[in-house]
Amino acid sequence: MNRSAHAFWLSSPGHGELREVTVPEPAADEVLVRTLYSGVSRGTETLVFRGQVPESQHAVMRAPFQDGDFPGPVKYGYLNVGVVEQGPDTLTGRTVFCLYPHQSRYVVPVHAVVPVPDRVPAGRAVLAGTVETAVNALWDAAPLIGDRIAVVGGGMVGCSVAALLARFPGVRLQLVDTDPERAATAEALGVDFAAPEDALGDCDLIVHASADERGLARALGLLAAEGTVIELSWYGERLVTLPLGEAFHSRRLTVRSSQVGSLSPARRAGRGYADRLALALDLLADPALDALITGESAFEELPEVMPRLATGEIPALCHRVRYG
């Protein structure tokens, strides 16, 4: 039996619409999911919405269940929480997370969904994909007890990293951002806040997530000798200029990339993608992470809301989409 559902499509850069789609009957190894919430990851999704994915990155940037191609028409997204309506007995009726776009119902293979722990509310579970990025970044960063650490950039990813680092014993930790309103978010996460000009220096480790070359330059300036910047920002088509002269070499500084598309080499031998996502969902039992959800709207409003998110008219970390 086929049934209809609705999906959000980027029809062309800067323009979105809801389209009716046909959802097939699930096979024996598939599940039918009715969406409860999806999340808009403002950084990546607004680049996609504006049509700013570089042609060289079209294949790399594909979402797991994306339909269409960049720059559009394309159905894009990867933060989806729903309830299994049909599938194996072990999953039917369970709340699950899936890397699926904004769509009211969908069918995917059983292995594509991860059950949400009972202690994690469905509305908070939309953060799982971003917390998974933070987990991978910290596997790459390998912070140590007593480290002096800064997270430069208080967006969704930076705040997720800061929230996890707040649990490390004995660290000196600051969230650094140009927006003074991020101070309230930092306080909710239990993290000190500083403007870039007031941030503490001599850092052993900095996670950079501002998506601005000025933030990356400031991160380099805050490092102690032989310190490391873990670069999480994705700049799309923009070129980035860095101050690699003066004392960069004599202080033996390191800039290292981290990206959630592949598992950190530090954990690749013993963990898979499902293990990493399950860990992220387990970490979402902390109610402090609700501070990362800064807005909500109905699914039917998404064609009007997405352009406002893309321009910054609606300021957001994670914007949650509610389904009827």
Side-chain angles (χ1 to χ4, degrees), residues 9 58 62 66-75:
W9 278 74
H58 282 189
R62 287 191 68 86
Q66 172 181 324
D67 282 336
D69 296 299
F70 303 121
V74 63
K75 183 178 74 176

Side-chain angles (χ1 to χ4, degrees), residues 195-230:
E197 63 272 17
D198 300 324
L200 298 174
D202 290 325
C203 292
D204 304 294
L205 171 67
I206 294 179
V207 178
H208 178 247
S210 80
D212 190 312
E213 65 179 39
R214 293 169 296 181
L216 183 51
R218 182 60 178 141
L220 287 171
L222 293 173
L223 284 176
E226 301 192 352
T228 297
V229 171
I230 298 296

Side-chain angles (χ1 to χ4, degrees), residues 2 56 80 99 101 133 193 280:
N2 290 334
S56 64
N80 190 297
L99 296 167
T133 300
F193 176 82

Side-chain angles (χ1 to χ4, degrees), residues 15 47 59 64 66 79 85 105 136 187 218 224 280 286 292 309:
H15 301 279
L47 280 172
Q66 172 181 324
L79 302 175
E85 292 191 320
R105 272 187 173 85
N136 205 61
E187 182 179 5
R218 182 60 178 141
D286 186 352
L292 304 185
L309 289 168

Side-chain angles (χ1 to χ4, degrees), residues 4 7 19 25 37 41 53 56 84 118 154 203 206 214 268:
S4 65
R19 296 185 180 181
E25 184 73 9
Y37 300 98
S41 179
V53 178
S56 64
V84 176
D118 293 338
C203 292
I206 294 179
R214 293 169 296 181
R268 199 171 291 163

